[in-house]
Amino acid sequence: MNNTISFALLHLAFCFTLVSFTPISALELHGTGANMVETTCQKTPFYNLCVSALKSDPRSSGANVAGLAQIGTDKLKAKATATLRQITALLKVAKDPKLKMALRDCADYYNAIVKYDIPVAVEAVTKGDPKFGVEGATDAANEADACGRGFKNEPKFPIYASNKVVHDLSAVVASIVQLLL
Amino acid sequence: MVDTKPLLPASNSDGSYLTGSRVNSLKPIKVYLTIFCGLLAVGLFAALLIGNYWSDNARIHGSLASSTSKRTYPLRPVSRGPAQGVSEKTSGIWAGVSRGPAQGVSEKTSRVRAGVPRNILPEPLNSTMLEWQRTAFHFQPEKNWMNDPNGPLFYNGWYHFFYQYNPNGAVWGDIVWGHAVSKDLINWFHLPFAMVADQWYDKNGVWTGSATILPDGKIVMLYTGSTTEAVQVQNLAFPANYSDPFLIDWVKYHGNPVLVPPPGIYKKDFRDPTTAWLTSEGKWRITIGSKRDKTGISLVYDTKDFINYEMLEGELHAVSGTGMWECVDFFPVSKTEGKGLDTSINGPEVKHVVKVSLDDDRHDYYALGTYYEKNGSWIPDLPEIDVGIGIRYDYGIFYASKTFYDQNKNRRVLWGWIGEGDSEAADMEKGWASLQSIPRTILFDNKTGTNLLQWPVEEIESLRLNGTEFEKVAVKAGSVVPLDVGPGSQLDIIAEFEIDKEALKKATGSNITFSCQTGGGAAKSGALGPFGILVLADESLSEQTPLYFYIAKDSDGDLKTFFCTDLSRSSKAPNVDKQIFGSYVPVLKEENLSLRVLVDHSIVESFAQGGRSVITSRIYPTEAINGASKVFLFNNATETCVTASVKIWQMDSAFIRPYSDDDDDKDDDDRKSSAPCFLLCPINYIVSCVTCLYFIYHVSKFS
């Protein structure tokens, strides 16, 4: 009887310790995930954009820097593709010849971003030679810049917001990939 | 009574007879079936092994490494200029992308009709300017992307050059080993790819490596592969056929990888093995760059057979804060003789150079020091200019460089990758990206004791056509003097500058430290500089690339000379590199300032003080191209006149084209032999097993 009681108490104590430790370690894991995003984003030029872009992807919790770089590049690709579609749609209805020319230039820049700059960045990160990824992402930022410059003398810049996001996100991805060097 | 334990052998005598007879009649069939299955399993396994062995043999006799599906370049000779049209790739990440030909004036309209993106270059760049950018005598493949030089060597009368190449586009990716041969390091034949990413241990990249020529004449190639898991490993390869002077086919060692990242080294920080050198114990030693946190290091391995390695304790060297060390190079230079040394040479008359490519800043650094063979370590002569924080091979665009010992002419020769300074979009448009520098000889500078001297190989002089000499031209303060030599896109220039000695003494010193980058470029006047040469400049100087000296005098009266290149006004096009490059260059008391320049369209290589300081730049002018490109002397100093003596040669084009040979077809036949056997073997085996068993069954029946 005594043995049983002591055994039961021991068992209970063991269970209790186990139970109490688990939520803490689980919290820590989640905590680390969130911290990784924040500490990484602090090293980029656009912190808020970086955090919101990465966190919107569930893979970001528990991801390492390489994983975050891949998530960032995926987001960039989605944004750039969407902006390209926007530009194509605008081209169909635009009447002003100067506006059309600026839009056509942007379409070409965005083609380069989606077809070349981003795939290079993805390949560089996955295959393990990140410096080419920095180049690809930086080039994407430059293309977005160039697109913006085409509207310098235009009264309206219809894709201003999305272009800015693509530019800033490219800069963010470039800094994250730079951390892999 | 029900038998409660049916699985146990029957114990009662009644059932046993029946069970026994049933068992007896069943037994032979079961036995035969088991034997048959066993034999079948063994047979299939054997068939698999045999099939594998045969396909291995096919690779040796044929050229699986350069299988037809991967060979993409045309075998016809192509004249200097961009490729005539690009057949679309159906594999790789550039599938379905049309880049189109970069040629001709009506390109814009024809492409609009074709429904593909039109010229995406910002004004004022156009296709004529792009075409002009292709070089006349620098090594480059006919199209697409190139980066690191790999495994350069001289063998059996030919110089071999391998390089990182993307067969599918003008950006980095899908890397394979390109290959070319030359008799003189200037004129080249393009050959089939030496190696492609066809094994699990290099599926994600056949990356940089180096060659070692063994005393018996065999060649060993060690290179980094990025595996299917993106782990960096070192692999061994060697020529398939030594009697082929072109060494077209290469075999990868079946037991690859021979080295994997050791404990404590991250799987993506272990690449670019060097040429091996002999130790006094008769072992071969190599070094491989890596890092621990932000400290760049180089690991050392000894081997007898290039297959089994022992890692040495400690490293060749380490420098904190430098980051990953790529493309490490380690070689001896003679302190006394003006010639190159074999990589294995050691002794008191020798200094050892450690060179690294820093991933973090994309620059190549070297330092001179002493090698201690016993523990495989190296100590720099001057730790304050240690490798990675001191002298650079080249203050412009120059990376991933590698030397080799040219036993043909007893010299050490340096190759360096010259990337583009324009946008990826422009590279896509013109269909190619990157060049190699003209190979340079490396010598110890025994006058300063701290530098190496680089100089273009003498074979480049075979391209010199007519030369024009300008003797003692006085260039007054604040003036520009045109040098009439004809078109200025392909030139070899040698210039010497004399400064007024009185002006040097009288000039006012300043306590502002000068550097090329912060000095304001060629337009910012100082007392004793800048002065030099303008290349790729148009008549009105709206575009110009100054290569210049700047003598800075500090408040103590000490003189310090700088050699710079200013790209800020090199082109009206946006989206091109417009930095100012350069650094301090040691000038000894008796020396005049000397300069050599190789102008080859969009690349300018400039050598100051006999190669003590070198700057390579990429120039993309919109006006100063073709006939409009000119050369000038200039002097923007306020307090001194400069006297210049210049000799300028027009340079011919080299021929750099595919080898036009028709005997590449023989490869296909060898590969066909392996396939049928692999299919037939198991079928054969099953049939023979069945017949065998049938025979045994009947024999046993009779006995």
Side-chain angles (χ1 to χ4, degrees), chain B residues 62-98:
Chain B
S63 57
L64 206 62
S66 54
S67 56
T68 45
S69 62
K70 300 253 191 273
R71 202 176 298 153
T72 58
Y73 65 94
L75 288 173
R76 55 182 165 76
V78 172
S79 59
R80 188 194 83 75
Q84 294 299 307
V86 182
S87 63
E88 298 318 317
K89 289 276 129 300
T90 49
S91 61
I93 61 178
W94 285 271
V97 171
S98 56

Side-chain angles (χ1 to χ4, degrees), chain A residues 64 66 101 104-105 107-109 111-112 115-117 119-120 123-133 135-136 139-140 142-143 146 149 178-181, chain B residues 93-94 97-99 117-122 145 147 171-174 204 207 226 230 232 268 271 291 294 326 359-360 362 399 417 423-425 428 574-575:
Chain A
N64 59 7
M101 194 163 77
R104 256 189 247 124
D105 281 340
D108 290 335
Y109 289 129
N111 260 320
K115 290 204 176 111
Y116 307 120
D117 299 329
V120 170
E123 193 171 339
V125 172
T126 45
K127 291 191 180 175
D129 204 348
K131 66 176 179 285
F132 295 108
E135 253 187 29
D139 255 54
N142 287 337
E143 316 269 338
R149 273 202 301 272
Q178 177 90 23
L179 297 173
L180 295 171
L181 283 177
Chain B
I93 61 178
W94 285 271
V97 171
S98 56
R99 288 187 303 287
R118 62 186 181 82
N119 188 346
I120 57 173
L121 302 164
W145 167 276
N147 54 296
V171 288
W172 180 85
D174 292 350
N204 272 330
W207 290 349
S226 184
Q232 292 167 9
K268 292 190 180 169
R271 53 187 182 268
K291 69 170 160 111
K294 273 294 171 189
E326 301 193 288
D359 207 5
D360 285 357
R362 300 284 219 121
Y399 193 66
W417 164 42
S423 66
E424 263 173 21
M428 286 295 119
N575 279 9

